[in-house]
Amino acid sequence: MTPSACYRGRFAPTPSGPLHFGSLVAALGSYLDARAAGGQWLVRIEDIDPPRCPQGADSTILHQLETFGLEWDEKVRWQHDRHEAYQQALEQLAAQGLAYPCSCSRKQWQAHAIYPGWCRDGLSDPAKPVAWRLRSDLARRPISWQDRLFGYQQFDPAQLGDVVLKRKDNLWAYQLAMVVDDAEQGITDVVRGLDLLDNTPWQRQLQIALTLPEPRYLHLPLVVTPEGQKLSKQNRAPTLAEEAGDVRRQLFQALQALDQAPPAELATEPPSSQLHWAVANWSVNRLTPSEYRFSP
């Protein structure tokens, strides 16, 4: 990639708990891609689901990033105070006939692989709470893009179902909030885990419908346990190290997980030295387009 001050990347964790090694690999990949391009790297806290976000988790995450030397540009953004922007986008979609209220419960359609779209034509029950869904059958389809690691991708979002944009409890859903915030923050490059690759078609539909720019995408292999289970906060993946020696070791292991082949002597260097080397030597071409990396 040609170095450019126009590059703007981001790391956008959900503060449902402290970061783990898989989170570090995703954060490090996005950081290195931005810094190697001479661009900016932002942090956004995606806290639109308060029941999943224990108090203080966001501060813990920011402290962890600082401990590993991952310094961000600009002020951290929190999604919890972005209601008006998301509501405006939803109203724009509804005016185009691309968003509709849905009163169906998951229990009603659990026998189906995806939500069957029963409320698409204004059939929601006015006596029940409603969620708002995207009409994936009417928005642009199929969706295709060139992933920087996994190559050409094409999906028909209608086969994935009508994704929720706003929940019945009036909380905003990930797809809409992420798209609106990426556009407002001028994000040019989305670098994230492979588990989010199949979210991209809905996000592209929303970007097109809302006339928002399309960022470049780089999906990174997932870090999994020796049993093949994705590292996550839900399965109690160990939190990142805090002691200096362990921090150096984990950062070095994250560089290895990103296929950057750091020299062995770098393993005992402080984060600043490791990151200096990593930015200077970052290459997406070194990444192997396989789906998984095993946790050390």
Side-chain angles (χ1 to χ4, degrees), residues 28-232:
L28 181 61
S30 64
Y31 175 89
L32 294 178
D33 201 57
R35 293 292 186 245
Q40 296 176 310
W41 187 68
L42 312 182
V43 172
R44 182 171 68 232
I45 302 296
E46 299 198 332
D47 58 347
I48 49 174
D49 190 353
R52 291 183 57 213
C53 303
Q55 186 174 5
D58 51 355
S59 299
T60 297
I61 288 172
L62 297 178
H63 174 69
Q64 289 177 303
L65 293 175
E66 290 174 331
T67 298
F68 281 81
L70 302 179
E71 299 178 352
W72 53 90
D73 304 300
E74 301 185 3
K75 186 178 179 181
V76 174
R77 169 168 290 185
W78 277 261
Q79 287 189 327
H80 66 258
D81 58 0
R82 297 277 296 148
H83 170 83
E84 291 184 6
Y86 307 148
Q87 184 63 36
Q88 183 178 2
L90 180 61
E91 291 172 2
Q92 186 176 340
L93 293 167
Q96 298 177 63
L98 296 179
Y100 64 92
C102 172
S103 59
C104 299
S105 67
R106 183 177 293 273
K107 184 177 180 179
Q108 287 177 289
W109 58 272
Q110 65 181 358
H112 300 262
I114 62 172
Y115 174 66
W118 290 329
C119 292
R120 280 176 174 172
D121 299 313
L123 300 179
S124 62
D125 186 341
K128 295 181 179 179
V130 297
W132 282 83
R133 292 181 179 271
L134 172 68
R135 278 209 63 158
S136 57
D137 63 322
L138 297 184
R140 177 77 64 84
R141 52 189 281 239
I143 291 294
S144 62
W145 76 95
Q146 189 73 20
D147 188 84
R148 291 172 53 205
L149 177 59
F150 290 94
Y152 180 76
Q153 305 291 320
Q154 180 170 295
F155 292 80
D156 181 353
Q159 296 179 359
L160 302 175
D162 291 353
V163 71
V164 171
L165 304 175
K166 189 177 186 181
R167 295 170 16 179
K168 290 182 179 181
D169 56 8
N170 286 321
L171 295 178
W172 293 100
Y174 164 73
Q175 310 293 349
L176 182 63
M178 189 226 73
V179 162
V180 170
D181 284 339
D182 274 355
E184 185 166 320
Q185 291 187 285
I187 301 302
T188 63
D189 288 78
V190 173
V191 180
R192 60 189 182 184
L194 184 63
D195 56 327
L196 294 172
L197 184 141
D198 61 2
N199 284 216
T200 311
W202 289 314
Q203 293 160 12
R204 285 296 301 122
Q205 283 191 318
L206 290 170
Q207 290 159 356
I208 293 166
L210 296 169
T211 63
L212 302 176
E214 176 187 3
R216 294 180 290 266
Y217 292 94
L218 169 58
H219 287 89
L220 302 171
L222 292 179
V223 178
V224 298
T225 66
E227 297 74 33
Q229 186 180 31
K230 174 194 166 186
L231 290 188
S232 70

